[in-house]
Amino acid sequence: MSILPQVVFLLIFAIAAYILSKRIKYLRRNIFLGKGETRNDHPEERWKTMLLVAFGQQKMFKRFVPAFLHLLIYVAFVIINLEVLEFVIDGLAGTHRIFAPFLGAAYGVAMNIFEFLAIAVLVSCVAFLIRRNVMKVERFTKPEMKGWPSLDANLILVIEIVLMFAILTMNATDQILASRGVGDYALLNTLFFSSLIRPIFEGMGNGTLIFIERFAWWFHIIGILGFAVYVTYSKHLHIFLAFPNTWYSNLKPKGEMVNMPEVTNEVNMMLGIPTEGNQETPPAEIGRFGAKDVNDLTWVNVMNAYSCTECGRCTSECPANITGKKLSPRKIMMDVRDRAEEVGKSIDAGGQGLEDGKSLLGDYITKEEINACTSCNACVEACPINIDPLSIILQLRRYVAMEESGTPAQWNAMFQNMETSFSPWKFSPSDRFNWAEKVKEEEVK
Amino acid sequence: MSTYKVPTMAEMAASGDSPEILFWVGCAGSFDDRYKAVTQAFVKILNKVGVSFAVLGPEEACTGDPARRAGNEFLFQMQAVANIQVMNGYNIKKVVTACPHCFNTIKNEYPALGGNYEVIHHSQFLQHLINEGKIVLQGGGEFKGKKITFHDSCFLGRANNVYEAPREVIKALDVELVEMKRCRTKGLCCGAGGGQMFKEPEPGNKDINIERTEEALATGATTIAVGCPFCLTMMSDGVKNKDREHDVKVYDLAEMLAKDMGI
């Protein structure tokens, strides 16, 4: 037997590995366009969160139907990867079904399980295509989904369907050849699902079947490698990033806004309060207050953006979006990713990167959008992988308020009231306790 | 017969006393004409139960929450640091407030600025008093058997995971608690958080409080219970907008309890 297929396989595998490693470096660099932030506290709680939310799909199950279909695809993805391991060994060693002799009857059982999962993926992907394109579930048809995002979603589903067909075709033809006693094809226990499509191939000659079987095998493995590369350009990155993304979840109460120590120093100086312990470490060079562009956000914010699979659960629960405002938390995440991509590509092309005259705020996200947010945390609660769009919105607001003085006039009035009378409304501070007068005169019943 | 007492921290300190809790009134509790009734109801309950409390009175200032959420970190911290100086000056350990925004800010955001207190929302405090048997409800009060729905405040619910305390308080009134479709973690905002209380909404096709009020009315409840001054305003406006003021009332938890206690 020629070793040509092995050489070709090795070559394809090496090319895929090379491209992937370049892509991973690129994504990593883009994520770290964001500012440093240390989130390593409470490791036990972080592992637990990752296990429950990412591995265990806990938050997905707030909506049962999509959660169930998604679970099938997810379980299949994890388990079928075991078969991919066999594919890779076979491809490199020039063997065929190398695990079969070791596992005996268990191999046939495993193959039947894989086939069941392949069918489950097929059914789920078809259901998802119907939800997107026929039922037109509202969250998939919002304005930010026009063009590439919708195409991306459909492509992923179609690719998965085709890959599953390749597995079933391969198994069906392989078993016909085995039953005919051709070559090294090993006869397994009946493979239930692929046997259903065997009639299509029964009338074909051995040569044709060997060609189809090999074609399906190569198609599947190249397809998977190609898909892995595609994923790095796609919203589908969540299959990997969901794990670190949940590990680095915000573990604090959702209502807490991150403090700005650089402001605290100035406030303390203004009020003449000695700052504890800060004397030895003079404040580092004060950058921008709040965020105008991706590099003002934290790397966790940018990782959130790359982890987002654009499911739109956040947007469908956002009170502003529900009532027709321009704000869509999903679009905030998509904009952060798009801007990080723009900057990353520009840097790689020797361009101006962050200094290209554009910025996240203004060119991607408008003030009208961030001004519509009620900071209600519905989006954060809704996200199946703990993405935090609110954190980004509030950082953008800080930039607008403190660097641009560009908040809406009514907010400026509220600021002024607070400065002069210590209340957001224009009341005299000396009247603050007037409410008690009436009650103090009332007799206790 | 004696009258209700509302001692201030300054008075307490002058007589060498320190109360068990500081009742943080908040700006709405101090100035909002409708919401002042909630402050008064809560103070009456505290008197009736005999809780040792005091307020800051004129020494209290806005926690800074709306400024912070509108992006003005300087103004927030100016307010916060001043408040913390006052509270630390009185050596305050325990704070109770009826406003979820004040609750969230003092509990979660003041520690980073040197203000560390045990902070309790009035729904939790009232639940505790009921459980301890310190609040004894008459039963057969104004709300008995009535349909009541509770509107979750975002800053109490999702922001701080307090979902059950207000419901336990309502249930103690022997009423029929009916839930809206979007409740607890999925509760829909009233539209006032994040500084929205202080500006007109951005362009859209509906106001958020109308959307929420419609949902509340759809339960058939005759009382919409809230635990937040902003929610109270927004839901009351919504009910007014729907011309249902005559048969649907919006009340804070403390008001409902005080009514039932006959005070």
Side-chain angles (χ1 to χ4, degrees):
Chain A
M1 222 174 119
S2 154
I3 63 155
L4 185 65
Q6 285 160 263
V7 174
V8 172
F9 182 85
L10 183 65
L11 200 64
I12 292 172
F13 195 72
I15 291 170
Y18 174 74
I19 298 173
L20 266 179
S21 70
K22 291 282 273 190
R23 287 294 299 165
I24 291 167
K25 269 190 203 141
Y26 167 83
L27 292 171
R28 203 185 134 78
R29 196 273 322 273
N30 281 6
I31 287 171
F32 286 109
L33 286 172
K35 285 192 296 191
E37 182 187 3
T38 313
R39 273 198 189 175
N40 300 322
D41 55 306
H42 303 89
E44 331 74 49
E45 202 182 336
R46 297 192 172 280
W47 286 110
K48 202 179 134 199
T49 308
M50 188 179 90
L51 275 175
L52 277 174
V53 177
F55 190 77
Q57 311 269 296
Q58 188 190 40
K59 289 177 85 186
M60 279 298 286
F61 276 87
K62 290 184 170 199
R63 298 189 187 193
F64 186 79
V65 174
F68 179 72
L69 297 171
H70 179 270
L71 181 71
L72 293 176
I73 299 179
Y74 164 68
V75 170
F77 173 80
V78 173
I79 295 178
I80 290 179
N81 270 335
L82 296 173
E83 197 185 0
V84 173
L85 181 69
E86 187 187 37
F87 271 60
V88 172
I89 297 173
D90 279 345
L92 292 173
T95 48
H96 185 68
R97 294 196 186 275
I98 192 166
F99 292 164
F102 298 105
L103 296 175
Y107 186 85
V109 174
M111 282 303 130
N112 266 309
I113 294 173
F114 292 167
E115 284 198 352
F116 166 74
L117 291 170
I119 293 290
V121 171
L122 264 174
V123 171
S124 299
C125 288
V126 169
F128 281 155
L129 280 171
I130 292 171
R131 280 168 62 84
R132 281 179 184 269
N133 303 290
V134 182
M135 291 162 64
K136 296 194 187 292
V137 171
E138 205 194 344
R139 62 190 157 106
F140 301 131
T141 59
K142 295 269 171 182
E144 68 266 23
M145 296 307 286
K146 289 220 167 66
W148 167 244
S150 285
L151 178 63
D152 187 16
N154 284 327
L155 273 176
I156 291 159
L157 293 169
V158 170
I159 293 171
E160 286 180 3
I161 289 172
V162 172
L163 287 176
M164 294 305 113
F165 262 118
I167 287 190
L168 295 171
T169 304
M170 183 190 80
N171 283 353
T173 49
D174 170 284
Q175 286 305 295
I176 296 172
L177 289 166
S179 66
R180 290 181 190 174
V182 179
D184 296 333
Y185 290 101
L187 191 61
L188 308 170
N189 316 342
T190 306
L191 299 181
F192 178 74
F193 290 100
S194 61
S195 70
L196 299 177
I197 57 165
R198 270 176 75 160
I200 304 173
F201 307 106
E202 295 281 12
M204 296 178 184
N206 290 349
T208 315
L209 286 179
I210 291 175
F211 176 79
I212 294 176
E213 191 277 332
R214 282 295 84 194
F215 181 83
W217 188 91
W218 282 96
F219 183 86
H220 187 73
I221 188 68
I222 293 172
I224 283 184
L225 294 173
F227 190 56
V229 173
Y230 174 83
V231 162
T232 65
Y233 291 90
S234 153
K235 70 171 191 107
H236 213 51
L237 256 181
H238 81 289
I239 60 176
F240 302 114
L241 285 182
F243 294 90
N245 199 70
T246 45
W247 200 88
Y248 288 105
S249 292
N250 173 26
L251 300 178
K252 294 181 176 158
K254 287 195 193 72
E256 179 179 339
M257 263 178 86
V258 179
N259 195 46
M260 292 178 72
E262 63 269 39
V263 172
T264 311
N265 288 338
E266 293 201 19
V267 167
N268 284 343
M269 269 191 282
M270 272 192 279
L271 297 175
I273 299 168
T275 40
E276 300 158 19
N278 282 353
Q279 265 72 3
E280 301 124 50
T281 49
E285 193 187 330
I286 290 178
R288 218 174 240 165
F289 289 125
K292 182 189 186 192
D293 212 342
V294 276
N295 60 318
D296 302 319
L297 299 170
T298 71
W299 70 271
V300 177
N301 295 141
V302 186
M303 177 174 66
N304 275 186
Y306 274 102
S307 308
C308 174
T309 197
E310 299 163 15
C311 74
R313 289 185 183 207
C314 52
T315 293
S316 73
E317 309 238 337
C318 170
N321 192 277
I322 288 170
T323 54
K325 278 84 178 171
K326 244 177 117 185
L327 174 63
S328 162
R330 168 173 56 192
K331 178 179 171 290
I332 300 288
M333 303 317 300
M334 292 165 78
D335 286 339
V336 170
R337 178 174 177 159
D338 288 349
R339 175 60 182 157
E341 283 288 302
E342 182 178 58
V343 171
K345 281 181 195 152
S346 163
I347 293 172
D348 286 350
Q352 292 171 302
L354 287 158
E355 310 302 326
D356 60 356
K358 293 200 208 167
S359 60
L360 179 64
L361 180 69
D363 294 294
Y364 287 83
I365 301 172
T366 59
K367 284 187 202 169
E368 183 180 335
E369 290 167 75
I370 58 170
N371 286 346
C373 175
T374 68
S375 70
C376 76
N377 268 302
C379 55
V380 184
E381 180 70 42
C383 181
I385 56 168
N386 290 351
I387 290 171
D388 188 349
L390 177 57
S391 154
I392 295 167
I393 293 170
L394 292 172
Q395 289 176 71
L396 295 172
R397 279 190 181 178
R398 280 174 165 170
Y399 175 81
V400 173
M402 291 188 282
E403 297 279 359
E404 282 190 334
S405 301
T407 41
Q410 287 175 305
W411 273 354
N412 289 334
M414 178 259 285
F415 294 158
Q416 210 169 13
N417 293 338
M418 208 181 282
E419 274 163 27
T420 53
S421 50
F422 315 113
S423 157
W425 294 288
K426 205 180 174 105
F427 289 105
S428 164
S430 58
D431 291 340
R432 187 175 272 272
F433 197 35
N434 290 359
W435 62 268
E437 280 163 19
K438 190 179 141 224
V439 76
K440 277 201 255 183
E441 285 163 12
E442 247 182 83
E443 284 194 351
V444 180
K445 275 182 231 164
Chain B
M1 290 293 270
S2 62
T3 56
Y4 291 105
K5 302 274 180 291
V6 190
T8 62
M9 286 303 306
E11 289 161 8
M12 282 257 180
S15 57
D17 273 348
S18 62
E20 189 197 328
I21 62 160
L22 168 73
F23 169 35
W24 182 274
V25 179
C27 300
S30 305
F31 295 119
D32 182 295
D33 272 338
R34 166 69 185 86
Y35 195 73
K36 275 190 252 180
V38 177
T39 311
Q40 288 155 355
F42 189 61
V43 158
K44 286 183 191 175
I45 296 172
L46 294 178
N47 270 273
K48 191 85 181 163
V49 175
V51 175
S52 145
F53 79 100
V55 298
L56 284 171
E59 286 188 281
E60 190 185 284
C62 176
T63 59
D65 158 84
R68 184 172 233 195
R69 269 139 196 93
N72 195 336
E73 182 74 6
F74 276 100
L75 184 52
F76 162 72
Q77 292 203 10
M78 293 291 283
Q79 297 291 118
V81 168
N83 279 324
I84 290 167
Q85 280 196 309
V86 171
M87 287 199 279
N88 287 354
Y90 287 122
N91 198 20
I92 280 160
K93 298 270 178 277
K94 200 167 168 182
V95 180
V96 177
T97 179
C99 173
H101 296 263
C102 299
F103 167 70
N104 177 67
T105 304
I106 302 173
K107 177 173 178 282
N108 298 324
E109 299 179 353
Y110 277 17
L113 299 167
N116 294 286
Y117 321 101
E118 183 191 348
V119 189
I120 304 166
H121 185 248
H122 80 326
S123 62
Q124 300 169 307
F125 193 72
L126 292 170
Q127 184 203 7
H128 192 65
L129 292 177
I130 293 169
N131 288 349
E132 281 194 328
K134 288 190 179 158
I135 290 181
V136 183
L137 296 166
Q138 323 258 331
E142 175 179 342
F143 299 102
K144 187 180 162 64
K146 289 220 174 119
K147 259 194 190 176
I148 293 181
T149 190
F150 177 68
H151 162 76
D152 286 283
S153 152
C154 308
F155 277 76
L156 193 58
R158 276 186 295 269
N160 289 293
N161 289 317
V162 180
Y163 298 107
E164 297 314 318
R167 289 180 167 79
E168 292 302 316
V169 170
I170 294 168
K171 282 182 197 158
L173 293 167
D174 197 14
V175 301
E176 186 192 343
L177 179 64
V178 285
E179 293 289 355
M180 289 182 252
K181 200 175 157 217
R182 288 173 283 199
C183 65
R184 293 191 171 85
T185 58
K186 286 191 153 210
L188 184 76
C189 177
C190 71
Q196 301 297 338
M197 185 71 191
F198 305 98
K199 75 175 196 24
E200 288 301 312
E202 301 304 308
N205 51 35
K206 197 177 197 178
D207 282 345
I208 297 172
N209 65 327
I210 303 299
E211 169 86 10
R212 186 54 164 171
T213 304
E214 285 171 358
E215 196 175 1
L217 294 176
T219 63
T222 50
T223 298
I224 302 170
V226 297
C228 170
F230 295 166
C231 298
L232 184 81
T233 302
M234 297 306 269
M235 298 306 284
S236 303
D237 286 353
V239 170
K240 207 182 286 177
N241 180 285
K242 292 273 150 194
D243 276 327
R244 293 291 298 277
E245 282 166 297
H246 58 282
D247 63 338
V248 177
K249 305 286 174 219
V250 186
Y251 286 124
D252 181 88
L253 301 167
E255 289 179 293
M256 293 171 67
L257 276 191
K259 274 177 189 289
D260 202 87
M261 291 162 77
I263 53 176

